[in-house]
mmCIF file of all heavy atoms in Angstrom:
data_model
loop_
_atom_site.group_PDB
_atom_site.id
_atom_site.type_symbol
_atom_site.label_atom_id
_atom_site.label_comp_id
_atom_site.label_asym_id
_atom_site.label_seq_id
_atom_site.Cartn_x
_atom_site.Cartn_y
_atom_site.Cartn_z
ATOM 1 N N ARG Z 1 10.748 -2.126 11.236
ATOM 2 C CA ARG Z 1 10.861 -2.900 12.501
ATOM 3 C C ARG Z 1 12.156 -3.605 12.471
ATOM 4 O O ARG Z 1 12.898 -3.624 13.549
ATOM 5 C CB ARG Z 1 9.743 -3.980 12.558
ATOM 6 C CG ARG Z 1 8.495 -3.545 13.228
ATOM 7 C CD ARG Z 1 7.567 -4.727 13.472
ATOM 8 N NE ARG Z 1 7.187 -5.481 12.297
ATOM 9 C CZ ARG Z 1 6.270 -5.186 11.481
ATOM 10 N NH1 ARG Z 1 5.486 -4.090 11.661
ATOM 11 N NH2 ARG Z 1 6.049 -5.904 10.403
ATOM 12 N N THR Z 2 12.556 -4.230 11.411
ATOM 13 C CA THR Z 2 13.825 -4.978 11.412
ATOM 14 C C THR Z 2 15.006 -4.009 11.587
ATOM 15 O O THR Z 2 15.913 -4.312 12.386
ATOM 16 C CB THR Z 2 13.962 -5.725 10.028
ATOM 17 O OG1 THR Z 2 12.919 -6.605 9.902
ATOM 18 C CG2 THR Z 2 15.287 -6.424 9.938
ATOM 19 N N GLU Z 3 14.989 -2.878 10.930
ATOM 20 C CA GLU Z 3 16.124 -1.933 11.053
ATOM 21 C C GLU Z 3 16.261 -1.430 12.479
ATOM 22 O O GLU Z 3 17.333 -1.390 13.031
ATOM 23 C CB GLU Z 3 15.896 -0.769 10.076
ATOM 24 C CG GLU Z 3 16.969 0.214 10.060
ATOM 25 C CD GLU Z 3 18.251 -0.293 9.397
ATOM 26 O OE1 GLU Z 3 18.236 -1.208 8.554
ATOM 27 O OE2 GLU Z 3 19.354 0.280 9.729
ATOM 28 N N VAL Z 4 15.120 -1.052 13.054
ATOM 29 C CA VAL Z 4 15.177 -0.519 14.470
ATOM 30 C C VAL Z 4 15.473 -1.578 15.426
ATOM 31 O O VAL Z 4 16.362 -1.400 16.362
ATOM 32 C CB VAL Z 4 13.838 0.212 14.800
ATOM 33 C CG1 VAL Z 4 13.750 0.536 16.240
ATOM 34 C CG2 VAL Z 4 13.622 1.446 13.938
ATOM 35 N N ALA Z 5 14.864 -2.749 15.298
ATOM 36 C CA ALA Z 5 15.078 -3.770 16.296
ATOM 37 C C ALA Z 5 16.526 -4.303 16.289
ATOM 38 O O ALA Z 5 17.202 -4.425 17.339
ATOM 39 C CB ALA Z 5 14.122 -4.922 16.106
ATOM 40 N N THR Z 6 17.031 -4.652 15.097
ATOM 41 C CA THR Z 6 18.344 -5.299 15.058
ATOM 42 C C THR Z 6 19.453 -4.329 15.334
ATOM 43 O O THR Z 6 20.454 -4.675 15.959
ATOM 44 C CB THR Z 6 18.547 -5.966 13.720
ATOM 45 O OG1 THR Z 6 18.462 -5.001 12.637
ATOM 46 C CG2 THR Z 6 17.591 -7.121 13.483
ATOM 47 N N THR Z 7 19.359 -3.082 14.898
ATOM 48 C CA THR Z 7 20.520 -2.157 15.058
ATOM 49 C C THR Z 7 20.438 -1.373 16.359
ATOM 50 O O THR Z 7 21.470 -0.969 16.846
ATOM 51 C CB THR Z 7 20.591 -1.130 13.894
ATOM 52 O OG1 THR Z 7 19.382 -0.384 13.848
ATOM 53 C CG2 THR Z 7 20.731 -1.854 12.574
ATOM 54 N N LEU Z 8 19.229 -1.153 16.890
ATOM 55 C CA LEU Z 8 19.150 -0.296 18.051
ATOM 56 C C LEU Z 8 18.629 -1.026 19.314
ATOM 57 O O LEU Z 8 19.230 -0.882 20.410
ATOM 58 C CB LEU Z 8 18.199 0.884 17.809
ATOM 59 C CG LEU Z 8 18.580 1.764 16.601
ATOM 60 C CD1 LEU Z 8 17.467 2.775 16.357
ATOM 61 C CD2 LEU Z 8 19.932 2.449 16.875
ATOM 62 N N LEU Z 9 17.513 -1.716 19.202
ATOM 63 C CA LEU Z 9 16.863 -2.185 20.381
ATOM 64 C C LEU Z 9 17.412 -3.505 20.900
ATOM 65 O O LEU Z 9 17.564 -3.660 22.104
ATOM 66 C CB LEU Z 9 15.368 -2.356 20.109
ATOM 67 C CG LEU Z 9 14.659 -1.095 19.650
ATOM 68 C CD1 LEU Z 9 13.133 -1.390 19.409
ATOM 69 C CD2 LEU Z 9 14.820 0.011 20.675
ATOM 70 N N ASP Z 10 17.756 -4.452 20.051
ATOM 71 C CA ASP Z 10 18.295 -5.712 20.488
ATOM 72 C C ASP Z 10 19.530 -5.567 21.402
ATOM 73 O O ASP Z 10 19.548 -6.203 22.459
ATOM 74 C CB ASP Z 10 18.614 -6.631 19.337
ATOM 75 C CG ASP Z 10 17.332 -7.155 18.632
ATOM 76 O OD1 ASP Z 10 16.211 -6.974 19.164
ATOM 77 O OD2 ASP Z 10 17.488 -7.803 17.565
ATOM 78 N N PRO Z 11 20.437 -4.723 21.017
ATOM 79 C CA PRO Z 11 21.651 -4.580 21.872
ATOM 80 C C PRO Z 11 21.302 -4.028 23.273
ATOM 81 O O PRO Z 11 22.044 -4.274 24.245
ATOM 82 C CB PRO Z 11 22.507 -3.564 21.109
ATOM 83 C CG PRO Z 11 22.112 -3.690 19.697
ATOM 84 C CD PRO Z 11 20.644 -3.974 19.759
ATOM 85 N N LEU Z 12 20.196 -3.293 23.391
ATOM 86 C CA LEU Z 12 19.792 -2.743 24.660
ATOM 87 C C LEU Z 12 18.807 -3.657 25.367
ATOM 88 O O LEU Z 12 18.319 -3.287 26.451
ATOM 89 C CB LEU Z 12 19.109 -1.358 24.442
ATOM 90 C CG LEU Z 12 19.942 -0.258 23.863
ATOM 91 C CD1 LEU Z 12 19.160 0.946 23.548
ATOM 92 C CD2 LEU Z 12 21.061 0.052 24.806
ATOM 93 N N GLU Z 13 18.522 -4.804 24.769
ATOM 94 C CA GLU Z 13 17.587 -5.781 25.345
ATOM 95 C C GLU Z 13 16.193 -5.109 25.510
ATOM 96 O O GLU Z 13 15.500 -5.274 26.519
ATOM 97 C CB GLU Z 13 18.081 -6.443 26.571
ATOM 98 C CG GLU Z 13 19.314 -7.206 26.331
ATOM 99 C CD GLU Z 13 19.817 -7.902 27.604
ATOM 100 O OE1 GLU Z 13 19.257 -7.741 28.680
ATOM 101 O OE2 GLU Z 13 20.923 -8.543 27.484
ATOM 102 N N LEU Z 14 15.810 -4.307 24.493
ATOM 103 C CA LEU Z 14 14.510 -3.621 24.526
ATOM 104 C C LEU Z 14 13.729 -4.086 23.254
ATOM 105 O O LEU Z 14 14.300 -4.215 22.180
ATOM 106 C CB LEU Z 14 14.736 -2.108 24.463
ATOM 107 C CG LEU Z 14 13.560 -1.196 24.602
ATOM 108 C CD1 LEU Z 14 12.940 -1.326 26.001
ATOM 109 C CD2 LEU Z 14 13.960 0.256 24.365
ATOM 110 N N THR Z 15 12.452 -4.380 23.484
ATOM 111 C CA THR Z 15 11.639 -4.843 22.387
ATOM 112 C C THR Z 15 10.973 -3.638 21.722
ATOM 113 O O THR Z 15 10.985 -2.511 22.244
ATOM 114 C CB THR Z 15 10.507 -5.720 22.850
ATOM 115 O OG1 THR Z 15 9.610 -4.968 23.743
ATOM 116 C CG2 THR Z 15 11.021 -6.947 23.591
ATOM 117 N N LEU Z 16 10.511 -3.846 20.446
ATOM 118 C CA LEU Z 16 9.802 -2.741 19.757
ATOM 119 C C LEU Z 16 8.572 -2.380 20.512
ATOM 120 O O LEU Z 16 8.342 -1.124 20.663
ATOM 121 C CB LEU Z 16 9.540 -3.146 18.299
ATOM 122 C CG LEU Z 16 8.973 -2.015 17.431
ATOM 123 C CD1 LEU Z 16 9.941 -0.844 17.377
ATOM 124 C CD2 LEU Z 16 8.694 -2.529 16.038
ATOM 125 N N PRO Z 17 7.742 -3.242 21.001
ATOM 126 C CA PRO Z 17 6.591 -2.810 21.843
ATOM 127 C C PRO Z 17 7.080 -1.997 23.062
ATOM 128 O O PRO Z 17 6.359 -1.094 23.485
ATOM 129 C CB PRO Z 17 5.898 -4.084 22.210
ATOM 130 C CG PRO Z 17 6.229 -5.057 21.125
ATOM 131 C CD PRO Z 17 7.640 -4.711 20.708
ATOM 132 N N GLY Z 18 8.213 -2.356 23.607
ATOM 133 C CA GLY Z 18 8.717 -1.610 24.773
ATOM 134 C C GLY Z 18 9.076 -0.187 24.378
ATOM 135 O O GLY Z 18 8.795 0.806 25.084
ATOM 136 N N TYR Z 19 9.723 -0.039 23.199
ATOM 137 C CA TYR Z 19 10.039 1.301 22.754
ATOM 138 C C TYR Z 19 8.807 2.114 22.393
ATOM 139 O O TYR Z 19 8.656 3.239 22.766
ATOM 140 C CB TYR Z 19 10.964 1.197 21.531
ATOM 141 C CG TYR Z 19 11.143 2.540 20.820
ATOM 142 C CD1 TYR Z 19 12.017 3.499 21.351
ATOM 143 C CD2 TYR Z 19 10.448 2.912 19.682
ATOM 144 C CE1 TYR Z 19 12.197 4.764 20.738
ATOM 145 C CE2 TYR Z 19 10.598 4.109 19.115
ATOM 146 C CZ TYR Z 19 11.466 5.058 19.627
ATOM 147 O OH TYR Z 19 11.601 6.296 19.112
ATOM 148 N N VAL Z 20 7.844 1.498 21.733
ATOM 149 C CA VAL Z 20 6.585 2.121 21.421
ATOM 150 C C VAL Z 20 5.856 2.508 22.699
ATOM 151 O O VAL Z 20 5.310 3.658 22.815
ATOM 152 C CB VAL Z 20 5.689 1.312 20.503
ATOM 153 C CG1 VAL Z 20 4.285 1.857 20.328
ATOM 154 C CG2 VAL Z 20 6.369 1.057 19.155
ATOM 155 N N CYS Z 21 5.935 1.693 23.699
ATOM 156 C CA CYS Z 21 5.285 2.040 24.970
ATOM 157 C C CYS Z 21 5.946 3.261 25.582
ATOM 158 O O CYS Z 21 5.236 4.206 26.039
ATOM 159 C CB CYS Z 21 5.418 0.852 25.941
ATOM 160 S SG CYS Z 21 4.805 1.117 27.604
ATOM 161 N N MET Z 22 7.259 3.284 25.572
ATOM 162 C CA MET Z 22 7.978 4.429 26.141
ATOM 163 C C MET Z 22 7.687 5.685 25.355
ATOM 164 O O MET Z 22 7.442 6.797 25.935
ATOM 165 C CB MET Z 22 9.445 4.143 26.173
ATOM 166 C CG MET Z 22 9.805 3.059 27.222
ATOM 167 S SD MET Z 22 11.520 2.523 27.092
ATOM 168 C CE MET Z 22 12.396 4.059 27.398
ATOM 169 N N ARG Z 23 7.655 5.585 24.003
ATOM 170 C CA ARG Z 23 7.308 6.761 23.158
ATOM 171 C C ARG Z 23 5.934 7.279 23.455
ATOM 172 O O ARG Z 23 5.699 8.463 23.600
ATOM 173 C CB ARG Z 23 7.476 6.346 21.701
ATOM 174 C CG ARG Z 23 6.882 7.243 20.669
ATOM 175 C CD ARG Z 23 7.630 8.479 20.272
ATOM 176 N NE ARG Z 23 8.887 8.796 20.773
ATOM 177 C CZ ARG Z 23 9.223 9.840 21.515
ATOM 178 N NH1 ARG Z 23 8.242 10.696 21.940
ATOM 179 N NH2 ARG Z 23 10.470 10.094 21.910
ATOM 180 N N ALA Z 24 4.981 6.308 23.612
ATOM 181 C CA ALA Z 24 3.621 6.715 23.912
ATOM 182 C C ALA Z 24 3.522 7.387 25.332
ATOM 183 O O ALA Z 24 2.796 8.339 25.418
ATOM 184 C CB ALA Z 24 2.651 5.461 23.855
ATOM 185 N N LEU Z 25 4.237 6.852 26.226
ATOM 186 C CA LEU Z 25 4.166 7.501 27.567
ATOM 187 C C LEU Z 25 4.829 8.873 27.590
ATOM 188 O O LEU Z 25 4.472 9.725 28.352
ATOM 189 C CB LEU Z 25 4.893 6.541 28.642
ATOM 190 C CG LEU Z 25 4.106 5.362 28.975
ATOM 191 C CD1 LEU Z 25 4.941 4.432 29.901
ATOM 192 C CD2 LEU Z 25 2.794 5.729 29.679
ATOM 193 N N SER Z 26 5.759 9.082 26.694
ATOM 194 C CA SER Z 26 6.350 10.430 26.627
ATOM 195 C C SER Z 26 5.383 11.477 26.125
ATOM 196 O O SER Z 26 5.460 12.615 26.440
ATOM 197 C CB SER Z 26 7.650 10.401 25.757
ATOM 198 O OG SER Z 26 7.317 10.324 24.394
ATOM 199 N N LEU Z 27 4.481 10.987 25.246
ATOM 200 C CA LEU Z 27 3.462 11.872 24.677
ATOM 201 C C LEU Z 27 2.220 11.917 25.561
ATOM 202 O O LEU Z 27 1.493 12.954 25.494
ATOM 203 C CB LEU Z 27 3.086 11.339 23.265
ATOM 204 C CG LEU Z 27 4.177 11.323 22.247
ATOM 205 C CD1 LEU Z 27 3.749 10.590 20.989
ATOM 206 C CD2 LEU Z 27 4.714 12.705 21.964
#
């Protein structure tokens, strides 16, 4: 969580639940 949030998601102003939601919707 820390690795993904701080290096990838935070700069895009995207939360981890937001990313998981998008991943789930893709599936």
Side-chain angles (χ1 to χ4, degrees):
R1 268 191 306 274
T2 300
E3 184 71 24
V4 170
T6 58
T7 62
L8 302 174
L9 302 181
D10 289 352
L12 296 173
E13 297 180 2
L14 187 65
T15 64
L16 187 59
Y19 171 76
V20 172
C21 175
M22 292 171 60
R23 165 77 7 244
L25 287 173
S26 75
L27 299 171

